[in-house]
Amino acid sequence: MSRPAQYHLLSLPDGSWETVSCLASVIRCRATTPTVIVDVSAVERLTIDALAVLVRKAMRLRSAGGELLLAGPGPAIRKVIERTGTGPLLPDFYDSAAALRALGDDGRAWQRVELSEGESALFCEPAQSPYCRHRP
């Protein structure tokens, strides 16, 4: 069975650990599809701890049949990814349009979907995040 041709497009405003961790919690608790494009064009620097969070999220998305793509990384982000050897887990593209074209290489028409308003049945695990609230 093939994965749905749907993706989420999320923007990352900075590369701090706190912001990246928040983004990871949002993906875990509100994503409805395992393919996520993260627009990092506004990020100047990415801490090593923040990179680790993105790598863990990319691995989790892959285990669910999807992937995490970075759109618009600057030279500093590309350099830290290259130095850490995490490039295979975090494919990067010039911008979100280029990432979407790469997804379309499989011949399917990809459609952007918004994050869910409630819990994600796809990823949500017990978490201490304000973005994850489990129903009794």
Side-chain angles (χ1 to χ4, degrees), residues 3-7 35 100 103-106 108-112:
R3 61 190 164 115
Q6 297 179 331
Y7 69 97
T35 301
L100 187 55
L103 287 176
D105 285 347
D106 67 5
R108 295 183 287 165
W110 285 75
Q111 176 186 5
R112 179 179 174 182

Side-chain angles (χ1 to χ4, degrees), residues 6-10 27 30-38 61 69 103 110-116 120 122-123:
Q6 297 179 331
Y7 69 97
H8 295 296
L9 176 61
L10 305 174
I27 292 170
R30 298 179 61 200
T32 57
T33 181
T35 301
V36 178
I37 299 173
V38 178
L61 291 169
L69 308 175
L103 287 176
W110 285 75
Q111 176 186 5
R112 179 179 174 182
V113 294
E114 298 300 322
L115 293 171
S116 69
S120 167
L122 184 60
F123 297 116

Side-chain angles (χ1 to χ4, degrees), residues 6-25:
Q6 297 179 331
Y7 69 97
H8 295 296
L9 176 61
L10 305 174
S11 293
L12 187 62
D14 68 62
S16 70
W17 178 85
E18 294 85 4
T19 303
V20 175
S21 292
C22 180
L23 177 80
S25 291

Side-chain angles (χ1 to χ4, degrees), residues 46-126:
L46 192 64
T47 67
I48 199 71
D49 293 330
L51 177 64
V53 172
L54 288 175
V55 167
R56 283 193 303 273
K57 188 52 53 185
M59 290 169 41
R60 178 65 179 103
L61 291 169
R62 280 191 178 189
S63 74
E67 57 193 321
L68 188 143
L69 308 175
L70 298 181
I77 294 177
R78 284 195 170 125
K79 191 174 196 175
V80 74
I81 289 171
E82 180 182 318
R83 284 185 174 173
T84 58
T86 54
L89 286 170
L90 298 170
D92 65 86
F93 299 89
Y94 178 75
D95 59 16
S96 56
L100 187 55
R101 282 192 300 274
L103 287 176
D105 285 347
D106 67 5
R108 295 183 287 165
W110 285 75
Q111 176 186 5
R112 179 179 174 182
V113 294
E114 298 300 322
L115 293 171
S116 69
E117 290 299 317
E119 285 181 29
S120 167
L122 184 60
F123 297 116
C124 207
E125 306 151 355

